[in-house]
Amino acid sequence: MFFIGCHSVLANSLTWPNGAKAAVVLTYDDTLDSHLDHAIPQLNKAKLTGTFYVSGARGQLSERMEEWRAAAASGHELGNHMLHHPCKKSNPGRDWVANYYDLDRYTIAQFEEELKVTNTLLQAIDGKRGRTFAYPCGDTDVGGGDSVIPTLKKHVTGARFASTPVNPMSESATNHHLIGIDNPLTFDRFMINAMDASEQTGDQLISAAQNSISSGSIMTFLFHGVIDKGEYLATSTKAHQELVNHLKDNPTLYWVAPLQDVLDHIDNQTLGK
């Protein structure tokens, strides 16, 4: 559902709802408990919505199915993150990848079947067909180097890529805030940028959002754990809350929406739908 009313006109001729200067997409990977315990309650209180990339075989889905169904009913997007979260074990730091979920051992046919099953599972939860995707571990090919993107284009509407986590105290952290920004008229919707929010402070997350305003861009954040202790690649609940508060308090600067809504909004304007 889209906001109907005042739109801001961007330099690139595309407009965002509510007079906003940029679109912000908050994405969350891996079906983690902290998404239900912390991220979604913070978003709901602020009346904002996000995109949650679900790996269907993870226990947090089966054990808390009704909570995920309620999240979808309240406007959050459930995106496809594959059934078993397969990753390429050959890449550095991937010793944790089980052999039977090693993307290096997958064929395109196997990838496609897992993708389709996850779409079906998510449709059973939220009743929707249009679905975006996030690459597990940011991997875009299977064994032998065959790209999964042609297959994705048959089954999902867009795909979010991943950035490498950056130490927020390092010199590269400032440039890191430029990651996650896309031009809505020229971006590749099957390689959508995202800024990894792990270990970032609230000020750094807010700074990243502010960088998108002048260009009328899409700014996409990537969260894993939203928790103060436990899980992995975590962002503190305080930092997440500070970003949420900033976005809520500045509706004329940011249109915060799930990724599927943003893609639909762009199509409605650029394709005349």
Side-chain angles (χ1 to χ4, degrees), residues 52-118:
F52 292 82
Y53 285 108
V54 172
S55 294
R58 296 202 166 197
Q60 291 89 335
L61 179 64
S62 61
E63 295 168 7
R64 306 183 70 173
M65 180 72 74
E66 290 308 313
E67 292 171 87
W68 283 109
R69 183 170 282 116
S74 64
H76 301 290
E77 176 187 1
L78 302 185
N80 191 319
H81 206 37
M82 298 290 280
L83 194 64
H84 299 294
H85 196 284
C87 296
K88 294 172 71 70
K89 192 169 184 175
S90 60
N91 287 346
R94 298 281 181 81
D95 292 342
W96 54 271
V97 177
N99 289 337
Y100 42 90
Y101 300 146
D102 181 0
L103 201 56
D104 287 315
R105 302 184 180 207
Y106 273 50
T107 63
I108 287 293
Q110 183 180 354
F111 178 92
E112 185 170 24
E113 285 304 307
E114 189 169 320
L115 178 73
K116 290 164 60 178
V117 167
T118 307

Side-chain angles (χ1 to χ4, degrees), residues 27-249:
T27 70
Y28 305 79
D29 285 12
D30 295 356
T31 335
L32 299 176
D33 281 330
S34 68
H35 300 164
L36 294 170
D37 295 338
H38 303 297
I40 290 174
Q42 288 183 359
L43 292 172
N44 287 349
K45 187 175 181 179
K47 298 182 179 180
L48 301 178
T49 50
T51 298
F52 292 82
Y53 285 108
V54 172
S55 294
R58 296 202 166 197
Q60 291 89 335
L61 179 64
S62 61
E63 295 168 7
R64 306 183 70 173
M65 180 72 74
E66 290 308 313
E67 292 171 87
W68 283 109
R69 183 170 282 116
S74 64
H76 301 290
E77 176 187 1
L78 302 185
N80 191 319
H81 206 37
M82 298 290 280
L83 194 64
H84 299 294
H85 196 284
C87 296
K88 294 172 71 70
K89 192 169 184 175
S90 60
N91 287 346
R94 298 281 181 81
D95 292 342
W96 54 271
V97 177
N99 289 337
Y100 42 90
Y101 300 146
D102 181 0
L103 201 56
D104 287 315
R105 302 184 180 207
Y106 273 50
T107 63
I108 287 293
Q110 183 180 354
F111 178 92
E112 185 170 24
E113 285 304 307
E114 189 169 320
L115 178 73
K116 290 164 60 178
V117 167
T118 307
N119 271 353
T120 300
L121 171 64
L122 294 176
Q123 185 182 354
I125 297 172
D126 64 16
K128 297 180 180 179
R129 290 185 179 274
R131 190 87 49 197
T132 65
F133 178 86
Y135 299 96
C137 299
D139 295 333
T140 61
D141 61 272
V142 299
D146 293 327
S147 172
V148 303
I149 293 175
T151 298
L152 286 175
K153 289 181 177 180
K154 296 188 292 183
H155 300 288
V156 298
T157 59
R160 195 219 66 212
F161 193 54
S163 64
T164 302
V166 171
N167 183 337
M169 302 304 293
S170 70
E171 293 182 2
S172 61
T174 299
N175 291 334
H176 180 52
H177 291 168
L178 300 177
I179 298 173
I181 294 178
D182 276 305
N183 183 316
L185 291 182
T186 62
F187 77 129
D188 182 344
R189 66 177 57 207
F190 285 87
M191 287 292 288
I192 296 169
N193 290 310
M195 191 197 90
D196 194 301
S198 60
E199 298 187 14
Q200 300 289 296
T201 66
D203 286 344
Q204 288 170 316
L205 296 174
I206 291 168
S207 175
Q210 291 172 330
N211 282 335
S212 66
I213 294 172
S214 62
S215 58
S217 303
I218 305 168
M219 176 65 206
T220 304
F221 290 92
L222 163 57
F223 295 92
H224 286 87
V226 179
I227 196 168
D228 298 325
K229 186 177 181 179
E231 295 185 348
Y232 50 88
L233 297 174
T235 305
S236 72
T237 56
K238 179 177 182 290
H240 184 266
Q241 184 69 73
E242 288 174 355
L243 174 63
V244 167
N245 289 345
H246 174 73
L247 298 173
K248 172 182 69 71
D249 292 342

